[in-house]
């Protein structure tokens, strides 16, 4: 009985990992508007990590890095060929000119910080 | 949400303490300013609050003073101070964790840990509390990072470390507090592992940070080229002002030994300027009135005045810094697989950890609970997403920075990777293989014409042309004291020559094809023209009112180092092809002098791209080297476009790779640096993949059936800490890269 419970529990945990990290998206989705969207870079995450924008809009993301760890020092939009160096405590605007609808990931240099710009 | 921050401004126009008060008052009256203080000695102001620099500059201007944001330098020094503070904090955390973890580790190693029963229980309770202190003081950032990442549906290195060490502590506390819940054989606490792992990973992060600081040396050196002040002449008075305040068209004084502050044109004086830091050109370049000067280069001898033509973010140096910064963040295709893997890496490791747990639960021997914990914790700790994620970008950063030191601006990751695959390099002739400064070598007049008149009419026609050979003809006429007439009805015939009306005569000036197309009888001139072409001279025919007038021959000498550079390309296994609008014989003569393998002559500018396409259709990976402006379509068509230019006066945005120096050695250097960088990336990727592919199964215990041993989680922690340091250190080796052969 214990054995079955432990095994079932393990499978449930695996299912939860798959669902949480790959199949679900964060509830907090920031809508981009005309004013810059503040994105705080700290403790391994962008806050907010998911930003939605309308196709045709120019979006300004204002990154504020408070994490002095080297992982946080760059933000890279690989698919858009856009990147910026982030100094601690100094806001840096990244302007995304209108792009085709789609999901554009932005990450730190080694891909541990991850965020998404969803253009609809 | 607005953001509280500190802004530094340079202030001009202050002459007394009263001015200080006025500026401070103006700044403090801006909404959102928390504090504003003016330093009269430095002529700077520091403002904190939720406010932007534009509002502050506006307020200072309205008060009758000048202001500009001191940004880059402030960012850089701020960055360094923050990095140093973080480095020290990491070391402090590592030391505190080691101070508690290391004695525990040694006691465990020598088997002198007290029993958990009786008085020994107190020892374990205190040890548990001390380890909890380590987790909170030295490891808090892992736990907060893991928690925040979890909430954002993300998982990172913090997740693995927090889970690994947190589980070890919890399990150990359960054993200490409720030993009866665990079989007696499995009653082994792992406090020392949690503490030592935290110490090792903090220490590894500190070392990695140190090593990473060196990876951005090249960009720091470029930023360091920017002088902080400029001596401007305003209303006849010379004054030192902050470089950010230099305006367009302002007159700037540069004295011997000083750095030139911004880009401009010399209006008075004469000097030699050392441009090595930007172009790699070792010898100082002579400059006089009318010559361009570039900000960041060093005035060696004379004093001169120049007019600022590009300031602030528009200077060549500022554009180069931005371009290198952007390129350092580019990723070649080779790194994409690692990107895709690192995107799913941590959740995958979590799943492997759960599977490890279950396998040991179902199949493991006693003490099963200990094995389950150790194997699961070791899997979590040994996995290193950082090494994988860093493998490519850190090498690109160092490689692109290194290239910039040689005056080579690599603009994207693809160029870096493709440069190493080139099988053919196509060179434009004029200004690429040759010096690009043609001179008239011979004037041959047809019967009924004299040389002076022939040259005068040729110069009259060419005065309106932008062709590089035209300048040579106009210069030759001037040197002979001839006064060119004004040409009318000027018409350039691309790839052939020009047509114009001079002194009422209808004049054609260009190649043999232009003459034949217009049915001009050339008499006995073609054999002479052929002889000139055989000596790498370009013969240009002149016809007036339908009759041949003669030949003006122009030669553009092959650059002294072209042959050596082309030999280097051959040594890299690359075939070298030249493409030119020049005639076949001249082109062949130049090709022979330079050691070029194949020639496409008499190619119209718009057909150069088609020639590249032809070579590509034959299966070649083609690099095109040209001037970046006229050759733009061919550069774009090539797999890698190299824009070559002397000095910085080239369109640096027009090609994949920009060579600041005119020499073809830059192409060989660029290819060599690209090869070294891609090799470095491959080493890093190989190391990171092999580390994780071998490390994770070993940590899970695949060798246990053979050896009866499980990997110690502390060793896993050390390996994990070392892996990313190794990747960064390997990338740092690129800093010592030198092209295989020194330049001629």
């Amino acid at each position: 009985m214990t054995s079955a419970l432990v095994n079932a529990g393990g499978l449930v945990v695996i299912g939860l990992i798959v669902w949480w990290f790959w199949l679900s998206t964060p509830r907090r989705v920031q809508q981009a508007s005309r004013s810059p969207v503040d994105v705080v870079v700290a403790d391994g995450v962008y806050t907010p990590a998911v930003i939605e924008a309308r196709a045709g809009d120019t979006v300004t993301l204002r990154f504020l890095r408070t994490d002095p760890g080297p992982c946080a020092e760059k933000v890279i939009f690989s698919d858009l060929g856009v990147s910026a160096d982030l100094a601690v405590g100094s806001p840096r605007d990244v302007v995304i000119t209108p792009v085709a609808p789609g999901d554009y990931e932005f990450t730190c240099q080694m891909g541990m910080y991850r965020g998404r710009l969803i253009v609809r | 949400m607005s953001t509280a921050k500190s802004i530094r401004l340079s202030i001009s126009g202050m002459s007394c303490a009263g001015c200080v008060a006025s500026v401070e008052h103006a700044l403090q009256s801006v909404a959102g300013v928390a504090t504003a203080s003016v330093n009269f000695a430095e002529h700077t102001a520091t403002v904190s609050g939720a406010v932007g620099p534009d509002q502050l500059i506006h307020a200072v201007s309205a008060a009758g003073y000048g202001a500009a944001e001191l940004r880059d330098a402030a960012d850089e020094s701020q960055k360094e101070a923050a990095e140093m503070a973080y480095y020290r904090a990491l070391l402090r955390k590592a030391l505190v964790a080691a101070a508690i973890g290391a004695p525990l580790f040694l006691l465990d190693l020598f088997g002198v840990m007290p029993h958990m029963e009786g008085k020994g229980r107190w020892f374990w309770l205190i040890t548990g509390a001390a380890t909890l202190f380590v987790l909170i003081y030295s490891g808090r950032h892992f736990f907060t990072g893991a928690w925040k990442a979890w909430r954002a549906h993300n998982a990172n290195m913090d997740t693995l470390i927090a889970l690994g060490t947190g589980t070890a502590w919890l399990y150990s506390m359960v054993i200490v507090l409720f030993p009866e819940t665990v079989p007696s054989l499995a009653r082994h606490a792992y406090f020392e592992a949690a503490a030592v792992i935290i110490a090792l990973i903090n220490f590894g992060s500190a070392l990695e940070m140190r090593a990473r600081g060196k990876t951005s040396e090249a960009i720091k050196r470029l930023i360091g080229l920017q002088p902080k002040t400029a001596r401007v002449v305003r209303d006849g008075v010379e004054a030192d002002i902050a470089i950010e305040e230099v305006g367009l068209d302002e007159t700037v004084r540069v004295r011997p030994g000083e750095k030139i502050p911004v880009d401009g044109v010399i209006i008075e004086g004469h000097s030699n300027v050392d441009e090595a830091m930007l172009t790699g050109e070792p010898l100082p370049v002579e400059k006089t009135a009318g010559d361009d000067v570039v900000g960041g280069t060093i005035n060696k001898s004379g004093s001169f005045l120049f007019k600022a033509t590009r300031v602030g973010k528009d200077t060549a140096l500022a554009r180069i810094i931005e371009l290198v910064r952007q390129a350092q963040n580019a990723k070649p295709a080779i790194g994409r697989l690692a990107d895709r893997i690192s995107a799913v890496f941590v959740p995958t490791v979590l799943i492997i950890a759960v599977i490890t747990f279950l396998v040991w639960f179902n199949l493991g021997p006693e003490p099963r609970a200990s094995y389950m914990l150790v194997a699961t914790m070791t899997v979590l700790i040994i996995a290193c997403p950082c090494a994988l994620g860093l493998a490519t970008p850190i090498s690109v950063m160092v490689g692109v920075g290194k290239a910039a030191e040689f005056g080579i601006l690599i603009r994207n990751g693809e160029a870096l990777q493709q440069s190493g695959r080139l099988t053919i390099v196509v060179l434009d002739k004029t200004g690429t293989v040759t010096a690009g400064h043609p001179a008239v070598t011979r004037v041959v007049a047809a019967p009924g014409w004299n040389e002076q008149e022939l040259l005068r009419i040729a110069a009259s026609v060419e005065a309106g042309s932008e062709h590089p050979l035209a300048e040579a003809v106009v210069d030759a006429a001037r040197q002979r004291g001839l006064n060119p007439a004004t040409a009318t009805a000027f018409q350039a015939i691309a790839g052939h020559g020009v047509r114009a009306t001079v002194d009422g005569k209808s004049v054609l000036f260009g190649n043999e094809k232009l003459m034949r197309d217009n049915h001009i009888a050339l008499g006995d001139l073609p054999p002479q023209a052929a002889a000139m072409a055989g000596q790498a001279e370009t013969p240009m025919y002149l016809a007036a009112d339908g009759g041949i007038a003669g030949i003006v021959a122009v030669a553009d000498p092959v650059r002294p180092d072209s042959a050596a550079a082309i030999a280097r390309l051959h040594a890299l296994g690359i075939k070298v092809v030249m493409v030119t609008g020049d005639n076949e014989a001249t082109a062949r003569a130049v090709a022979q002098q330079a050691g070029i393998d194949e020639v496409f002559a008499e190619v119209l500018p718009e057909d150069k791209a088609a020639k590249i396409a032809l070579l590509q259709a034959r299966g070649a990976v083609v690099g095109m080297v040209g001037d970046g402006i006229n050759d733009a379509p061919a550069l774009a068509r090539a797999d890698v476009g190299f824009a070559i230019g002397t000095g910085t006066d080239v369109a640096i945005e027009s090609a994949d790779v920009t060579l600041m120096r005119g020499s073809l050695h830059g192409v060989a250097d660029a290819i060599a640096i690209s090869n070294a960088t891609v090799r470095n990336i491959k080493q890093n990727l190989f190391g990171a993949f092999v580390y994780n592919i071998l490390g994770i199964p070993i940590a899970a215990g695949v060798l246990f059936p053979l050896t009866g041993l499980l990997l110690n989680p502390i060793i896993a922690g050390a390996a994990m800490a070392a892996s990313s340091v190794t990747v960064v250190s390997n990338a740092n080796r690129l800093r010592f890269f030198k092209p295989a052969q020194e330049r001629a």
Side-chain angles (χ1 to χ4, degrees):
Chain A
M1 184 62 184
T2 310
S3 173
L5 276 176
V6 169
N7 282 302
L11 293 175
V12 168
V13 170
I14 290 173
L16 280 173
I17 292 169
V18 171
W19 173 73
W20 186 256
F21 292 113
W22 292 329
L23 303 179
S24 66
T25 44
R27 280 198 192 143
R28 191 180 166 193
V29 176
Q30 176 82 42
Q31 296 294 328
S33 59
R34 287 186 186 282
S35 53
V37 179
D38 289 298
V39 182
V40 177
V41 185
D43 300 320
V45 288
Y46 297 117
T47 311
V50 183
I51 296 147
E52 248 180 31
R54 282 186 316 187
D57 284 356
T58 295
V59 181
T60 302
L61 304 181
R62 179 163 292 167
F63 286 91
L64 178 65
R65 173 186 171 198
T66 58
D67 184 346
C71 300
E73 73 182 2
K74 287 171 186 288
V75 60
I76 300 168
F77 294 73
S78 280
D79 297 334
L80 301 176
V82 173
S83 64
D85 289 8
L86 309 176
V88 179
S90 186
R92 175 75 195 257
D93 286 355
V94 174
V95 181
I96 309 289
T97 48
V99 289
D103 265 25
Y104 299 95
E105 203 172 37
F106 52 97
T107 66
C108 68
Q109 210 180 15
M110 59 170 114
M112 290 291 100
Y113 277 84
R114 307 191 86 86
R116 279 162 64 206
L117 173 67
I118 303 169
V119 179
R120 294 186 194 281
Chain B
M1 184 183 101
S2 49
T3 313
K5 55 178 178 172
S6 174
I7 297 171
R8 279 187 80 225
L9 302 171
S10 71
I11 308 290
S12 60
M14 292 192 301
S15 57
C16 62
C19 299
V20 172
S22 299
V23 174
E24 280 185 352
H25 179 72
L27 290 169
Q28 279 160 354
S29 63
V30 177
V33 169
T35 61
S37 64
V38 172
N39 183 324
F40 183 57
E42 289 180 355
H43 282 231
T44 58
T46 306
V47 182
S48 66
V51 63
D54 293 345
Q55 295 155 274
L56 300 173
I57 291 166
H58 181 74
V60 175
S61 303
Y65 302 90
E69 191 186 3
L70 290 169
R71 188 155 183 187
D72 279 357
D75 278 359
E76 209 49 41
S77 57
Q78 186 190 23
K79 181 172 176 254
E80 277 178 22
E83 279 176 0
M84 186 46 78
Y86 188 63
Y87 171 74
R88 290 203 181 114
L90 284 173
L91 278 186
R92 200 168 49 243
K93 287 176 178 180
L95 280 174
V96 168
I100 292 170
L104 292 176
F105 171 69
L106 290 175
L107 288 175
D108 187 54
L109 189 70
F110 294 111
V112 289
M113 286 281 204
H115 289 290
M116 286 187 188
E117 298 82 26
K119 286 180 184 172
R121 192 176 166 83
W122 281 106
F123 168 84
W124 286 105
L125 282 170
I126 293 166
T127 300
T131 310
L132 181 62
F133 168 74
V134 168
L135 295 183
I136 292 170
Y137 177 79
S138 304
R140 188 174 50 217
H141 56 295
F142 299 124
F143 290 88
T144 51
W147 172 240
K148 288 190 175 180
W150 165 262
R151 286 176 55 195
H153 295 237
N154 197 358
N156 53 28
M157 193 188 83
D158 294 339
T159 312
L160 299 175
I161 297 164
L163 276 175
T165 55
T167 310
W169 185 84
L170 268 179
Y171 175 85
S172 305
M173 281 311 287
V174 167
I175 287 174
V176 173
L177 294 174
F178 314 105
E180 65 284 356
T181 58
V182 178
S184 58
L185 274 174
R187 286 177 199 162
H188 188 281
Y190 294 95
F191 292 124
E192 89 290 350
V196 174
I197 286 166
I198 293 281
L200 286 169
I201 292 171
N202 274 317
F203 185 61
S205 298
L207 289 183
E208 183 193 324
M209 189 156 183
R210 261 292 156 94
R212 283 179 75 153
K214 291 178 188 154
T215 62
S216 54
E217 258 180 11
I219 203 94
K220 282 184 196 153
R221 207 169 293 149
L222 281 171
I223 291 169
L225 293 177
Q226 288 176 318
K228 296 197 168 31
T229 59
R231 192 169 186 80
V232 297
V233 185
R234 288 177 177 168
D235 302 324
V237 181
E238 290 185 11
D240 288 325
I241 61 165
I243 190 155
E244 292 83 358
E245 281 189 65
V246 180
L248 266 183
D249 295 331
E250 281 212 270
T251 303
V252 183
R253 161 79 67 195
V254 187
R255 291 167 293 191
E258 287 181 344
K259 277 183 188 166
I260 295 167
V262 295
D263 297 356
V265 180
I266 296 184
I267 51 178
E268 187 187 307
H270 175 270
S271 186
N272 289 299
V273 175
D274 181 359
E275 296 184 334
M277 60 293 294
L278 283 186
T279 65
E281 173 61 53
L283 296 174
V285 183
E286 196 177 337
K287 301 274 182 183
T288 187
D291 286 342
D292 291 334
V293 286
V294 181
T297 57
I298 297 171
N299 176 30
K300 299 295 280 186
S301 48
S303 170
F304 61 84
L305 288 170
F306 75 94
K307 187 174 84 172
T309 54
R310 284 188 297 206
V311 298
K313 294 196 185 308
D314 297 325
T315 63
L317 180 58
R319 286 158 67 213
I320 288 167
I321 290 169
E322 190 50 33
L323 195 140
V324 173
R325 269 192 173 144
Q326 290 292 335
Q328 284 185 324
N329 297 337
K331 250 180 210 162
I334 190 174
R336 305 247 166 86
L337 175 65
D339 267 5
R340 279 201 289 275
I341 291 174
S342 73
V344 296
F345 185 87
V346 177
T348 306
V349 171
L350 295 179
I351 291 170
I352 292 172
V354 176
I355 293 169
T356 303
F357 181 89
L358 292 180
V359 168
W360 280 99
F361 173 74
N362 290 304
L363 307 174
E366 292 298 340
R368 196 184 301 172
S370 282
Y371 284 129
M372 281 156 55
L373 176 84
V374 170
T376 307
M377 175 168 59
T378 313
V379 165
L380 291 170
I381 296 298
I382 203 165
C384 187
C386 298
L388 207 56
L390 267 178
T392 306
I394 207 79
S395 300
V396 170
M397 197 157 153
V398 184
V400 167
K402 190 73 203 172
E405 284 180 25
F406 287 96
I408 299 160
L409 306 180
I410 298 171
R411 289 194 65 220
N412 55 55
E414 280 320 292
L416 198 65
Q417 195 170 341
Q418 288 286 55
S419 291
R421 293 185 185 152
L422 295 178
T423 54
I424 291 181
V425 166
V426 178
L427 308 173
D428 174 45
K429 185 182 78 87
T430 306
T432 302
V433 179
T434 63
H437 304 300
V440 170
T441 47
R442 269 186 268 194
V443 182
V444 179
W449 284 82
N450 68 57
E451 287 183 13
Q452 302 288 78
E453 184 61 6
L454 176 62
L455 192 57
R456 190 185 70 83
I457 294 182
S460 306
V461 174
E462 292 290 48
S465 167
E466 288 173 359
H467 195 277
L469 299 184
E471 203 178 325
V473 176
V474 174
D475 282 351
R478 278 208 193 103
Q479 281 164 15
R480 297 191 191 193
L482 304 172
N483 288 322
T486 306
T488 55
F490 181 88
Q491 185 194 353
I493 304 157
H496 294 88
V498 291
R499 179 199 298 275
T501 303
V502 179
D503 297 340
K505 292 189 181 79
S506 172
V507 177
L508 288 167
F509 188 49
N511 60 18
E512 192 173 323
K513 190 163 188 308
L514 178 70
M515 299 297 136
R516 297 211 185 280
D517 287 352
N518 287 278
H519 312 292
I520 307 290
L522 299 177
D524 63 349
L525 290 178
Q528 294 187 56
M532 293 170 191
Q535 291 168 36
E537 295 173 60
T538 303
M540 293 185 289
Y541 291 91
L542 188 128
D545 285 341
I548 190 72
I551 296 175
V552 178
V554 175
D556 182 10
V558 172
R559 285 178 194 274
D561 56 2
S562 286
I566 288 166
R568 284 181 62 196
L569 292 175
H570 285 154
L572 290 166
I574 295 169
K575 182 179 171 183
V576 181
V577 175
M578 187 174 77
V579 61
T580 175
D582 219 332
N583 70 68
E584 183 86 28
T586 309
R588 293 214 170 279
V590 170
Q592 195 178 10
Q593 283 180 26
I596 287 163
D597 305 303
E598 192 178 340
V599 174
F600 292 130
E602 295 170 38
V603 177
L604 299 175
E606 61 268 29
D607 292 340
K608 285 183 182 172
K611 291 290 179 196
I612 304 278
L614 181 75
L615 293 169
Q616 287 169 326
R618 289 185 204 158
V621 185
V622 183
M624 167 76 201
V625 189
D627 68 8
I629 301 158
N630 298 317
D631 298 321
L635 294 179
R637 172 75 231 192
D639 296 291
V640 183
F642 297 83
I644 191 166
T646 43
T648 53
D649 200 19
V650 289
I652 56 176
E653 283 85 10
S654 68
D656 302 313
V657 180
T658 297
L659 308 171
M660 307 292 287
R661 191 182 171 206
S663 169
L664 275 179
H665 277 291
V667 180
D669 289 348
I671 292 170
I673 291 173
S674 299
N675 281 341
T677 307
V678 171
R679 197 163 49 241
N680 198 272
I681 292 171
K682 284 179 181 167
Q683 291 162 354
N684 278 348
L685 286 174
F686 179 79
F689 275 120
V690 167
Y691 168 82
N692 282 301
I693 286 169
L694 292 182
I696 293 173
I698 290 172
V702 290
L703 296 182
F704 185 84
L706 298 175
T707 62
L709 293 171
L710 263 185
L711 189 66
N712 187 320
I714 290 176
I715 293 172
M720 194 278 193
S723 64
S724 47
V725 178
T726 308
V727 163
V728 180
S729 303
N730 186 46
N732 262 328
R733 291 191 310 117
L734 281 172
R735 291 190 302 127
F736 306 107
F737 174 83
K738 279 201 174 86
Q741 285 172 275
E742 291 300 322
R743 295 166 191 176

